[in-house]
Coordinates of all heavy atoms in Angstrom, one line a residue:
M1 N 26.3 39.8 -8.4 CA 25.8 38.8 -7.6 C 24.5 38.2 -8.2 O 23.7 38.9 -8.6 CB 25.5 39.4 -6.2 CG 25.0 38.3 -5.3 SD 24.3 38.7 -3.7 CE 25.2 39.8 -2.9
M2 N 24.5 36.9 -8.3 CA 23.3 36.2 -8.9 C 22.3 35.9 -7.8 O 22.7 35.5 -6.7 CB 23.7 35.0 -9.6 CG 24.4 35.2 -10.9 SD 24.7 33.6 -11.7 CE 23.3 33.4 -12.7
M3 N 21.1 36.0 -8.1 CA 20.0 35.6 -7.2 C 19.3 34.4 -7.7 O 19.0 34.4 -8.9 CB 19.0 36.8 -7.0 CG 19.6 38.1 -6.5 SD 19.7 38.2 -4.8 CE 18.1 38.3 -4.3
F4 N 19.1 33.4 -6.9 CA 18.4 32.2 -7.3 C 17.1 32.2 -6.6 O 17.0 32.5 -5.4 CB 19.2 31.0 -6.9 CG 20.5 30.8 -7.6 CD1 21.7 31.2 -7.0 CD2 20.5 30.3 -8.9 CE1 22.9 31.0 -7.7 CE2 21.6 30.1 -9.6 CZ 22.9 30.5 -9.0
K5 N 16.1 31.9 -7.3 CA 14.7 31.7 -6.8 C 14.6 30.3 -6.3 O 14.8 29.3 -7.1 CB 13.7 32.0 -7.8 CG 12.3 31.9 -7.2 CD 11.2 32.3 -8.2 CE 9.9 32.1 -7.5 NZ 8.8 32.2 -8.4
R6 N 14.4 30.1 -5.1 CA 14.3 28.7 -4.5 C 12.9 28.4 -4.2 O 12.2 29.2 -3.6 CB 15.2 28.6 -3.3 CG 16.7 28.7 -3.7 CD 17.5 28.3 -2.6 NE 18.9 28.4 -3.0 CZ 19.9 28.7 -2.3 NH1 19.7 29.0 -1.0 NH2 21.1 28.8 -2.7
D7 N 12.5 27.2 -4.6 CA 11.2 26.7 -4.2 C 11.3 26.0 -2.9 O 11.7 24.8 -2.9 CB 10.6 25.8 -5.3 CG 9.2 25.3 -5.0 OD1 8.5 26.0 -4.3 OD2 8.9 24.3 -5.6
V8 N 11.0 26.6 -1.8 CA 11.2 26.1 -0.5 C 9.9 25.3 -0.1 O 8.8 25.8 -0.2 CB 11.4 27.2 0.6 CG1 11.6 26.6 1.9 CG2 12.7 28.0 0.2
Q9 N 10.1 24.0 0.3 CA 9.0 23.1 0.7 C 9.4 22.5 2.0 O 10.5 22.3 2.3 CB 8.8 22.0 -0.3 CG 8.3 22.4 -1.7 CD 8.2 21.2 -2.6 OE1 9.1 20.4 -2.7 NE2 7.1 21.2 -3.3
S10 N 8.3 22.3 2.8 CA 8.5 21.6 4.1 C 8.9 20.1 3.8 O 8.6 19.5 2.8 CB 7.3 21.7 4.9 OG 6.3 20.8 4.5
L11 N 9.6 19.6 4.8 CA 10.0 18.2 4.7 C 8.8 17.3 4.6 O 8.7 16.3 3.8 CB 10.9 17.8 5.9 CG 11.4 16.4 5.8 CD1 12.3 16.1 4.6 CD2 12.3 16.1 7.1
A12 N 7.7 17.6 5.3 CA 6.5 16.8 5.3 C 5.9 16.8 3.9 O 5.4 15.7 3.4 CB 5.5 17.4 6.3
D13 N 5.9 17.9 3.2 CA 5.4 18.0 1.8 C 6.2 17.2 0.9 O 5.7 16.5 0.0 CB 5.3 19.5 1.3 CG 4.3 20.3 2.0 OD1 3.4 19.7 2.7 OD2 4.4 21.5 2.0
I14 N 7.5 17.2 1.0 CA 8.4 16.4 0.2 C 8.2 14.9 0.4 O 8.1 14.2 -0.6 CB 9.9 16.8 0.4 CG1 10.1 18.3 0.0 CG2 10.8 15.9 -0.3 CD1 11.4 18.9 0.4
V15 N 8.1 14.5 1.6 CA 7.9 13.1 1.9 C 6.5 12.6 1.3 O 6.4 11.6 0.7 CB 7.9 12.8 3.4 CG1 7.4 11.4 3.8 CG2 9.3 13.0 4.0
A16 N 5.5 13.5 1.5 CA 4.1 13.1 1.0 C 4.2 13.0 -0.5 O 3.6 12.1 -1.1 CB 3.1 14.1 1.4
Q17 N 4.9 13.9 -1.2 CA 5.0 13.9 -2.6 C 5.8 12.6 -3.1 O 5.3 12.0 -4.1 CB 5.8 15.2 -3.0 CG 5.8 15.4 -4.5 CD 6.5 16.7 -4.8 OE1 7.3 17.2 -4.0 NE2 6.3 17.2 -6.0
C18 N 6.8 12.3 -2.4 CA 7.5 11.0 -2.7 C 6.7 9.8 -2.6 O 6.7 8.9 -3.4 CB 8.8 10.9 -1.9 SG 10.1 12.1 -2.3
L19 N 5.9 9.7 -1.4 CA 5.1 8.6 -1.2 C 4.0 8.5 -2.3 O 3.7 7.4 -2.8 CB 4.4 8.7 0.2 CG 5.3 8.5 1.4 CD1 4.6 8.8 2.7 CD2 5.8 7.0 1.4
R20 N 3.4 9.6 -2.7 CA 2.4 9.6 -3.7 C 3.0 9.2 -5.0 O 2.4 8.4 -5.7 CB 1.8 11.1 -3.8 CG 0.5 11.1 -4.6 CD -0.1 12.5 -4.5 NE -0.3 13.0 -3.1 CZ 0.3 14.1 -2.6 NH1 1.1 14.8 -3.3 NH2 0.1 14.4 -1.3
H21 N 4.2 9.7 -5.3 CA 4.9 9.3 -6.6 C 5.1 7.8 -6.7 O 5.0 7.2 -7.7 CB 6.1 10.1 -6.7 CG 6.9 9.8 -8.0 ND1 7.9 8.9 -8.0 CD2 6.8 10.3 -9.3 CE1 8.4 8.8 -9.3 NE2 7.7 9.7 -10.0
D22 N 5.5 7.2 -5.5 CA 5.9 5.8 -5.5 C 4.7 4.9 -5.3 O 4.9 3.7 -5.1 CB 7.0 5.6 -4.5 CG 8.3 6.2 -4.8 OD1 8.5 6.5 -6.0 OD2 9.1 6.4 -3.9
G23 N 3.5 5.5 -5.1 CA 2.3 4.6 -4.9 C 2.2 4.1 -3.5 O 1.5 3.1 -3.3
L24 N 2.8 4.8 -2.5 CA 2.8 4.2 -1.2 C 1.9 5.1 -0.2 O 1.7 4.7 0.9 CB 4.2 4.2 -0.6 CG 5.2 3.4 -1.3 CD1 6.6 3.6 -0.8 CD2 4.8 1.9 -1.3
E25 N 1.3 6.1 -0.7 CA 0.5 7.0 0.1 C -0.7 6.2 0.6 O -1.0 6.2 1.8 CB 0.1 8.2 -0.6 CG -0.7 9.2 0.2 CD -1.1 10.5 -0.5 OE1 -1.4 10.4 -1.7 OE2 -1.0 11.5 0.1
T26 N -1.5 5.6 -0.3 CA -2.7 4.9 0.1 C -2.4 3.7 1.1 O -3.1 3.6 2.1 CB -3.4 4.4 -1.1 OG1 -3.8 5.5 -2.0 CG2 -4.7 3.6 -0.8
P27 N -1.4 2.8 0.8 CA -1.1 1.8 1.8 C -0.8 2.3 3.2 O -1.1 1.8 4.2 CB 0.0 1.0 1.2 CG 0.0 1.3 -0.3 CD -0.6 2.7 -0.4
L28 N 0.0 3.4 3.2 CA 0.3 4.1 4.5 C -0.9 4.6 5.2 O -1.1 4.4 6.4 CB 1.3 5.2 4.3 CG 1.8 5.9 5.5 CD1 2.5 5.0 6.4 CD2 2.7 7.1 5.1
Q29 N -1.8 5.2 4.5 CA -3.1 5.7 5.1 C -3.9 4.5 5.6 O -4.5 4.6 6.6 CB -3.9 6.5 4.1 CG -3.2 7.9 3.8 CD -3.9 8.6 2.6 OE1 -4.6 8.0 1.8 NE2 -3.7 9.9 2.6
Q30 N -4.0 3.4 4.8 CA -4.7 2.2 5.2 C -4.1 1.6 6.5 O -4.9 1.3 7.4 CB -4.7 1.2 4.1 CG -5.6 1.6 2.9 CD -5.5 0.6 1.8 OE1 -4.7 -0.3 1.8 NE2 -6.4 0.7 0.9
R31 N -2.8 1.6 6.6 CA -2.2 1.0 7.8 C -2.5 1.9 9.0 O -2.7 1.4 10.1 CB -0.6 1.0 7.5 CG 0.2 0.5 8.7 CD 0.2 -1.0 8.7 NE -0.7 -1.5 9.7 CZ -1.3 -2.7 9.7 NH1 -1.1 -3.6 8.7 NH2 -2.1 -3.1 10.6
R32 N -2.4 3.2 8.8 CA -2.7 4.2 9.9 C -4.2 4.0 10.4 O -4.4 4.0 11.6 CB -2.6 5.6 9.3 CG -1.8 6.5 10.2 CD -1.7 7.9 9.6 NE -0.4 8.1 9.0 CZ -0.3 8.8 7.8 NH1 -1.3 9.4 7.3 NH2 0.9 8.9 7.3
L33 N -5.1 3.8 9.4 CA -6.5 3.6 9.8 C -6.7 2.3 10.6 O -7.3 2.3 11.7 CB -7.4 3.6 8.6 CG -8.9 3.5 8.8 CD1 -9.6 4.5 8.0 CD2 -9.4 2.1 8.6
I34 N -6.1 1.2 10.1 CA -6.2 -0.1 10.8 C -5.6 0.0 12.2 O -6.1 -0.5 13.2 CB -5.6 -1.2 10.0 CG1 -6.5 -1.5 8.8 CG2 -5.4 -2.5 10.8 CD1 -5.9 -2.5 7.8
D35 N -4.4 0.7 12.3 CA -3.8 0.8 13.6 C -4.5 1.7 14.6 O -4.4 1.5 15.8 CB -2.4 1.4 13.4 CG -1.4 0.4 12.8 OD1 -1.7 -0.8 12.7 OD2 -0.3 0.8 12.3
S36 N -5.4 2.5 14.1 CA -6.2 3.4 15.0 C -7.5 2.8 15.5 O -8.2 3.4 16.2 CB -6.5 4.7 14.3 OG -7.4 4.6 13.2
W37 N -7.8 1.5 15.0 CA -9.0 0.8 15.5 C -9.2 0.8 17.0 O -10.2 1.1 17.5 CB -9.1 -0.6 14.9 CG -10.2 -1.4 15.4 CD1 -10.1 -2.4 16.3 CD2 -11.6 -1.2 15.2 NE1 -11.3 -2.9 16.7 CE2 -12.3 -2.2 16.0 CE3 -12.3 -0.4 14.4 CZ2 -13.6 -2.3 16.0 CZ3 -13.7 -0.5 14.4 CH2 -14.3 -1.4 15.2
G38 N -8.1 0.4 17.7 CA -8.2 0.3 19.2 C -8.5 1.7 19.8 O -9.3 1.7 20.8
K39 N -7.9 2.7 19.3 CA -8.1 4.1 19.8 C -9.6 4.5 19.6 O -10.2 5.1 20.5 CB -7.2 5.1 19.2 CG -7.3 6.5 19.7 CD -6.3 7.4 19.0 CE -6.4 8.8 19.5 NZ -5.5 9.7 18.8
V40 N -10.1 4.3 18.4 CA -11.4 4.7 18.0 C -12.5 3.8 18.7 O -13.5 4.3 19.2 CB -11.6 4.7 16.5 CG1 -13.1 5.0 16.1 CG2 -10.7 5.8 15.9
A41 N -12.3 2.5 18.7 CA -13.3 1.6 19.2 C -13.3 1.5 20.7 O -14.3 1.3 21.4 CB -13.1 0.2 18.6
G42 N -12.1 1.7 21.3 CA -11.9 1.5 22.7 C -11.3 0.2 23.1 O -11.4 -0.8 22.4
R43 N -10.8 0.1 24.3 CA -10.1 -1.1 24.8 C -11.0 -2.3 24.9 O -10.7 -3.4 24.6 CB -9.4 -0.8 26.1 CG -8.1 0.0 25.9 CD -7.4 0.1 27.2 NE -6.1 0.8 27.0 CZ -5.2 0.8 27.9 NH1 -5.3 0.1 29.0 NH2 -4.1 1.4 27.6
A44 N -12.2 -2.0 25.4 CA -13.2 -3.1 25.7 C -13.5 -3.8 24.3 O -13.6 -5.1 24.3 CB -14.4 -2.6 26.3
I45 N -13.8 -3.1 23.3 CA -14.1 -3.6 22.0 C -12.9 -4.3 21.4 O -12.9 -5.3 20.7 CB -14.7 -2.6 21.1 CG1 -16.1 -2.1 21.7 CG2 -14.9 -3.1 19.7 CD1 -16.7 -0.9 21.0
E46 N -11.7 -3.6 21.5 CA -10.5 -4.2 21.0 C -10.2 -5.6 21.5 O -9.6 -6.4 20.7 CB -9.3 -3.2 21.2 CG -8.1 -3.6 20.5 CD -7.0 -2.6 20.7 OE1 -6.9 -1.9 21.7 OE2 -6.1 -2.5 19.8
K47 N -10.6 -5.9 22.7 CA -10.3 -7.2 23.3 C -11.0 -8.3 22.5 O -10.6 -9.5 22.4 CB -10.8 -7.3 24.7 CG -9.9 -6.5 25.7 CD -10.5 -6.7 27.1 CE -9.8 -5.8 28.1 NZ -10.4 -5.8 29.4
Y48 N -12.2 -8.0 21.9 CA -13.0 -8.9 21.1 C -12.8 -8.8 19.6 O -13.5 -9.3 18.8 CB -14.5 -8.7 21.4 CG -14.8 -9.1 22.8 CD1 -15.0 -8.1 23.8 CD2 -15.0 -10.4 23.3 CE1 -15.3 -8.4 25.1 CE2 -15.3 -10.7 24.6 CZ -15.4 -9.7 25.5 OH -15.7 -10.0 26.8
T49 N -11.7 -8.1 19.2 CA -11.4 -7.9 17.8 C -10.4 -8.9 17.3 O -9.3 -9.1 18.0 CB -10.9 -6.5 17.6 OG1 -11.9 -5.6 18.0 CG2 -10.6 -6.2 16.1
G50 N -10.7 -9.5 16.2 CA -9.7 -10.4 15.5 C -9.0 -9.7 14.4 O -8.6 -8.5 14.5
E51 N -9.0 -10.3 13.2 CA -8.2 -9.7 12.1 C -9.0 -8.5 11.5 O -10.2 -8.4 11.7 CB -8.0 -10.8 11.0 CG -9.3 -11.3 10.3 CD -9.0 -12.2 9.2 OE1 -8.2 -11.8 8.3 OE2 -9.5 -13.3 9.3
K52 N -8.2 -7.6 10.9 CA -8.8 -6.4 10.3 C -8.1 -6.2 9.0 O -6.8 -6.4 8.9 CB -8.5 -5.2 11.1 CG -9.0 -5.3 12.6 CD -8.6 -4.1 13.4 CE -7.2 -4.0 13.8 NZ -6.7 -4.9 14.8
F53 N -8.8 -5.9 7.9 CA -8.2 -5.6 6.6 C -9.1 -4.7 5.8 O -10.3 -4.6 6.1 CB -7.9 -6.9 5.9 CG -9.1 -7.8 5.5 CD1 -9.8 -7.6 4.3 CD2 -9.5 -8.7 6.4 CE1 -10.9 -8.4 4.1 CE2 -10.6 -9.5 6.2 CZ -11.3 -9.4 5.0
I54 N -8.6 -4.1 4.8 CA -9.3 -3.2 3.9 C -9.3 -3.8 2.5 O -8.3 -4.2 2.0 CB -8.7 -1.8 3.9 CG1 -8.8 -1.2 5.3 CG2 -9.4 -0.9 2.9 CD1 -8.1 0.2 5.4
R55 N -10.5 -3.8 1.9 CA -10.7 -4.2 0.5 C -11.7 -3.3 -0.1 O -12.8 -3.2 0.4 CB -11.1 -5.7 0.5 CG -11.2 -6.2 -1.0 CD -11.4 -7.7 -1.1 NE -10.3 -8.4 -0.5 CZ -10.5 -9.5 0.3 NH1 -11.7 -9.9 0.6 NH2 -9.4 -10.1 0.8
N56 N -11.4 -2.7 -1.2 CA -12.4 -1.9 -2.0 C -13.0 -0.8 -1.1 O -14.2 -0.6 -1.1 CB -13.5 -2.7 -2.6 CG -12.9 -3.6 -3.7 OD1 -11.9 -3.4 -4.3 ND2 -13.6 -4.8 -3.8
Q57 N -12.2 -0.1 -0.3 CA -12.5 1.0 0.5 C -13.5 0.6 1.6 O -14.3 1.4 2.2 CB -13.1 2.2 -0.2 CG -12.1 2.9 -1.1 CD -12.7 4.1 -1.7 OE1 -13.7 4.1 -2.3 NE2 -12.0 5.2 -1.5
T58 N -13.5 -0.7 2.0 CA -14.3 -1.2 3.1 C -13.4 -1.9 4.1 O -12.6 -2.7 3.7 CB -15.4 -2.3 2.5 OG1 -16.2 -1.6 1.6 CG2 -16.2 -2.8 3.7
L59 N -13.6 -1.5 5.3 CA -12.8 -2.1 6.4 C -13.6 -3.3 6.9 O -14.8 -3.2 7.2 CB -12.6 -1.1 7.6 CG -12.0 -1.6 8.8 CD1 -10.5 -2.1 8.6 CD2 -12.0 -0.6 9.9
F60 N -12.9 -4.5 6.9 CA -13.5 -5.7 7.5 C -12.9 -5.9 8.8 O -11.7 -6.0 8.9 CB -13.3 -6.9 6.5 CG -14.0 -6.8 5.2 CD1 -13.5 -6.0 4.2 CD2 -15.3 -7.3 5.1 CE1 -14.2 -5.9 3.0 CE2 -16.0 -7.2 3.9 CZ -15.4 -6.5 2.8
V61 N -13.7 -6.1 9.8 CA -13.3 -6.3 11.2 C -13.9 -7.6 11.8 O -15.2 -7.7 11.8 CB -13.6 -5.1 12.1 CG1 -13.1 -5.4 13.5 CG2 -13.0 -3.8 11.6
K62 N -13.1 -8.5 12.2 CA -13.6 -9.8 12.8 C -13.9 -9.5 14.3 O -13.0 -9.1 15.0 CB -12.7 -10.9 12.7 CG -13.2 -12.2 13.2 CD -12.3 -13.4 12.9 CE -13.0 -14.6 13.4 NZ -12.9 -15.7 12.5
I63 N -15.2 -9.6 14.7 CA -15.6 -9.5 16.1 C -15.9 -10.8 16.6 O -16.7 -11.6 16.1 CB -16.8 -8.5 16.2 CG1 -16.5 -7.1 15.6 CG2 -17.2 -8.4 17.6 CD1 -15.4 -6.4 16.3
L64 N -15.3 -11.2 17.7 CA -15.4 -12.5 18.3 C -16.6 -12.8 19.1 O -16.9 -13.9 19.5 CB -14.1 -12.8 19.1 CG -12.8 -12.6 18.4 CD1 -11.6 -12.7 19.3 CD2 -12.7 -13.5 17.2
N65 N -17.4 -11.7 19.5 CA -18.6 -11.8 20.3 C -19.8 -11.5 19.4 O -19.9 -10.3 19.0 CB -18.5 -10.9 21.5 CG -19.7 -11.0 22.4 OD1 -20.8 -10.9 22.0 ND2 -19.4 -11.1 23.7
P66 N -20.7 -12.4 19.1 CA -21.9 -12.1 18.3 C -22.8 -11.0 18.7 O -23.2 -10.2 17.9 CB -22.6 -13.5 18.3 CG -21.7 -14.5 18.7 CD -20.7 -13.8 19.6
A67 N -23.0 -10.9 20.0 CA -23.8 -9.8 20.5 C -23.2 -8.4 20.3 O -23.8 -7.5 19.9 CB -24.1 -10.0 22.0
L68 N -21.9 -8.4 20.5 CA -21.1 -7.1 20.3 C -21.1 -6.8 18.8 O -21.3 -5.6 18.4 CB -19.7 -7.3 20.8 CG -18.8 -6.1 20.6 CD1 -19.3 -4.9 21.4 CD2 -17.4 -6.4 21.1
R69 N -21.0 -7.8 17.9 CA -21.0 -7.6 16.5 C -22.3 -6.9 16.1 O -22.3 -6.0 15.3 CB -20.9 -8.9 15.8 CG -20.7 -8.8 14.3 CD -20.5 -10.2 13.6 NE -19.7 -11.1 14.3 CZ -20.0 -12.4 14.7 NH1 -21.2 -12.8 14.3 NH2 -19.2 -13.1 15.3
A70 N -23.4 -7.3 16.6 CA -24.7 -6.7 16.3 C -24.8 -5.3 16.7 O -25.3 -4.4 16.0 CB -25.9 -7.5 16.9
D71 N -24.3 -5.0 17.9 CA -24.3 -3.6 18.5 C -23.4 -2.7 17.6 O -23.8 -1.6 17.3 CB -23.8 -3.6 19.9 CG -24.8 -4.2 20.9 OD1 -26.0 -4.4 20.5 OD2 -24.4 -4.5 22.0
L72 N -22.3 -3.2 17.2 CA -21.3 -2.4 16.5 C -21.9 -2.1 15.1 O -21.6 -1.0 14.5 CB -20.0 -3.1 16.4 CG -19.2 -3.2 17.7 CD1 -17.9 -4.0 17.4 CD2 -18.9 -1.9 18.3
S73 N -22.6 -3.0 14.5 CA -23.2 -2.8 13.2 C -24.1 -1.6 13.1 O -24.2 -0.9 12.1 CB -24.0 -4.0 12.7 OG -23.1 -5.1 12.5
M74 N -24.7 -1.3 14.3 CA -25.6 -0.1 14.3 C -24.8 1.2 14.4 O -25.3 2.3 14.2 CB -26.5 -0.2 15.5 CG -27.6 -1.3 15.3 SD -28.8 -1.4 16.6 CE -27.9 -2.3 17.8
M75 N -23.5 1.1 14.7 CA -22.6 2.3 14.8 C -21.6 2.4 13.7 O -20.6 3.2 13.8 CB -21.9 2.3 16.2 CG -22.8 2.2 17.4 SD -22.0 2.3 19.0 CE -20.7 1.1 18.9
R76 N -21.9 1.8 12.6 CA -21.0 1.8 11.5 C -20.6 3.1 10.9 O -19.4 3.4 10.7 CB -21.5 0.9 10.3 CG -21.4 -0.5 10.6 CD -22.0 -1.4 9.5 NE -22.1 -0.9 8.2 CZ -23.1 -1.0 7.3 NH1 -24.1 -1.8 7.7 NH2 -23.1 -0.5 6.1
E77 N -21.6 4.0 10.7 CA -21.3 5.3 10.2 C -20.3 6.1 11.1 O -19.4 6.8 10.6 CB -22.6 6.1 9.9 CG -23.4 5.6 8.8 CD -24.7 6.4 8.6 OE1 -24.7 7.6 8.9 OE2 -25.6 5.8 8.0
R78 N -20.6 6.1 12.4 CA -19.7 6.8 13.3 C -18.3 6.3 13.3 O -17.3 7.0 13.3 CB -20.3 6.7 14.7 CG -19.6 7.7 15.7 CD -20.1 7.5 17.1 NE -19.1 6.6 17.7 CZ -19.4 5.8 18.8 NH1 -20.6 5.8 19.3 NH2 -18.4 5.1 19.3
F79 N -18.1 4.9 13.2 CA -16.8 4.4 13.1 C -16.1 4.8 11.8 O -14.9 5.1 11.8 CB -16.8 2.8 13.2 CG -17.0 2.3 14.6 CD1 -18.0 1.5 14.9 CD2 -16.0 2.6 15.5 CE1 -18.2 1.0 16.2 CE2 -16.1 2.1 16.8 CZ -17.2 1.3 17.1
V80 N -16.8 4.8 10.7 CA -16.2 5.2 9.4 C -15.7 6.6 9.5 O -14.5 6.9 9.1 CB -17.2 5.0 8.3 CG1 -16.7 5.7 7.0 CG2 -17.5 3.6 8.0
K81 N -16.5 7.5 10.0 CA -16.1 8.9 10.1 C -14.9 9.1 11.0 O -13.9 9.7 10.7 CB -17.3 9.7 10.7 CG -17.0 11.2 10.9 CD -18.2 11.9 11.4 CE -17.9 13.3 11.8 NZ -17.8 13.5 13.3
N82 N -14.9 8.5 12.2 CA -13.9 8.6 13.2 C -12.6 8.0 12.7 O -11.5 8.5 13.0 CB -14.3 8.1 14.6 CG -15.4 8.9 15.2 OD1 -15.6 10.1 14.8 ND2 -16.1 8.4 16.2
L83 N -12.6 6.9 12.1 CA -11.4 6.2 11.6 C -10.8 7.0 10.5 O -9.6 7.2 10.4 CB -11.8 4.8 11.1 CG -12.0 3.8 12.2 CD1 -12.7 2.5 11.6 CD2 -10.7 3.4 13.0
N84 N -11.6 7.6 9.6 CA -11.0 8.4 8.5 C -10.4 9.7 9.1 O -9.3 10.1 8.6 CB -12.1 8.8 7.5 CG -12.4 7.7 6.5 OD1 -11.5 6.9 6.1 ND2 -13.7 7.6 6.1
V85 N -11.0 10.2 10.1 CA -10.4 11.4 10.8 C -9.0 11.0 11.4 O -8.0 11.7 11.2 CB -11.3 12.0 11.9 CG1 -10.6 12.9 12.8 CG2 -12.5 12.6 11.3
E86 N -8.9 9.9 12.0 CA -7.7 9.4 12.6 C -6.6 9.1 11.5 O -5.4 9.4 11.7 CB -7.9 8.1 13.4 CG -8.5 8.4 14.8 CD -7.6 9.1 15.7 OE1 -6.3 8.9 15.8 OE2 -8.1 10.0 16.4
A87 N -7.0 8.6 10.4 CA -6.1 8.3 9.3 C -5.7 9.6 8.6 O -4.7 9.6 7.9 CB -6.7 7.4 8.3
G88 N -6.4 10.7 8.7 CA -6.1 11.9 8.0 C -6.5 12.0 6.6 O -6.0 12.8 5.8
A89 N -7.4 11.1 6.2 CA -7.8 11.0 4.8 C -9.1 10.2 4.6 O -9.4 9.4 5.5 CB -6.7 10.5 3.9
Q90 N -9.8 10.3 3.5 CA -10.9 9.5 3.3 C -10.4 8.1 2.7 O -10.3 8.0 1.5 CB -11.8 10.2 2.2 CG -13.1 9.4 1.8 CD -14.1 9.4 2.9 OE1 -14.2 10.3 3.7 NE2 -14.9 8.3 3.0
V91 N -10.2 7.2 3.7 CA -9.6 5.9 3.3 C -10.7 4.9 3.1 O -10.6 4.1 2.1 CB -8.6 5.4 4.4 CG1 -8.0 4.1 4.1 CG2 -7.5 6.5 4.6
I92 N -11.7 4.9 3.9 CA -12.8 3.9 3.8 C -14.2 4.6 3.7 O -14.3 5.7 4.1 CB -12.9 2.9 5.0 CG1 -13.1 3.6 6.3 CG2 -11.6 2.0 5.1 CD1 -13.4 2.8 7.5
T93 N -15.1 3.9 3.0 CA -16.5 4.4 2.9 C -17.5 3.5 3.7 O -18.6 3.9 3.8 CB -16.9 4.4 1.4 OG1 -16.7 3.1 0.8 CG2 -16.0 5.4 0.6
D94 N -17.0 2.3 4.1 CA -17.9 1.4 4.8 C -17.1 0.5 5.7 O -15.9 0.4 5.6 CB -18.7 0.6 3.8 CG -19.9 -0.1 4.4 OD1 -20.3 0.2 5.6 OD2 -20.5 -1.0 3.8
I95 N -17.8 -0.1 6.7 CA -17.1 -1.0 7.6 C -18.1 -2.2 7.7 O -19.3 -2.1 7.8 CB -16.8 -0.4 8.9 CG1 -16.0 -1.3 9.8 CG2 -18.1 0.1 9.6 CD1 -15.5 -0.6 11.1
R96 N -17.5 -3.4 7.7 CA -18.3 -4.6 7.8 C -17.7 -5.4 9.0 O -16.5 -5.6 9.1 CB -18.2 -5.5 6.6 CG -18.8 -4.8 5.3 CD -20.3 -4.7 5.5 NE -20.8 -3.8 4.5 CZ -21.5 -4.1 3.4 NH1 -21.6 -5.4 3.1 NH2 -21.9 -3.2 2.6
F97 N -18.6 -5.9 9.8 CA -18.2 -6.8 11.0 C -18.5 -8.2 10.6 O -19.6 -8.5 10.2 CB -18.9 -6.3 12.2 CG -18.6 -4.9 12.6 CD1 -19.5 -3.9 12.4 CD2 -17.3 -4.6 13.2 CE1 -19.2 -2.5 12.7 CE2 -17.0 -3.3 13.5 CZ -17.9 -2.3 13.3
F98 N -17.6 -9.1 10.8 CA -17.9 -10.5 10.6 C -17.3 -11.4 11.7 O -16.7 -10.9 12.6 CB -17.2 -11.0 9.2 CG -15.7 -10.9 9.2 CD1 -15.0 -12.1 9.4 CD2 -15.0 -9.8 9.0 CE1 -13.6 -12.1 9.4 CE2 -13.6 -9.8 8.9 CZ -12.9 -10.9 9.1

């Protein structure tokens, strides 16, 4: 009887490995981070949010209310930390409100 040594991996590990190999891991993490904006910021802030995009590890968020934009700028570090936690990786290093 022959014995085979099998390298058993979880499906999650295999999918992550395939995404990384195909260069899709970072875009997926970025999408996850952008989609979590409403959860992290809250519904009240999400109502005044326009477009969101990531460029050079910086999340740009359009805030439609100037007073709210100023208030949010003071909480940038907290948002960066919480958004990265939601995305499950260090996706952004800064956030800019415009």
Side-chain angles (χ1 to χ4, degrees):
M1 182 189 314
M2 286 182 94
M3 301 275 289
F4 293 100
K5 182 179 178 188
R6 294 191 175 148
D7 183 21
V8 179
Q9 293 179 315
S10 73
L11 185 57
D13 290 342
I14 293 170
V15 169
Q17 190 177 20
C18 289
L19 288 171
R20 197 172 304 118
H21 179 265
D22 293 339
L24 299 173
E25 184 178 39
T26 301
L28 181 62
Q29 290 170 340
Q30 289 177 347
R31 180 83 259 155
R32 228 182 260 143
L33 185 133
I34 288 172
D35 289 347
S36 68
W37 170 254
K39 180 179 179 183
V40 172
R43 286 186 175 195
I45 294 172
E46 190 175 26
K47 288 180 188 175
Y48 294 100
T49 301
E51 66 176 303
K52 304 174 287 287
F53 62 91
I54 297 175
R55 184 174 296 138
N56 297 328
Q57 291 188 309
T58 300
L59 173 65
F60 292 86
V61 181
K62 182 170 186 140
I63 301 296
L64 307 173
N65 181 313
L68 180 60
R69 186 179 319 127
D71 290 345
L72 293 178
S73 292
M74 291 184 275
M75 301 186 308
R76 283 179 23 222
E77 287 181 26
R78 193 183 95 205
F79 279 121
V80 168
K81 179 180 169 252
N82 292 342
L83 287 165
N84 281 325
V85 167
E86 282 294 319
Q90 179 72 30
V91 179
I92 60 170
T93 57
D94 196 11
I95 185 168
R96 299 289 165 104
F97 300 104
F98 67 98

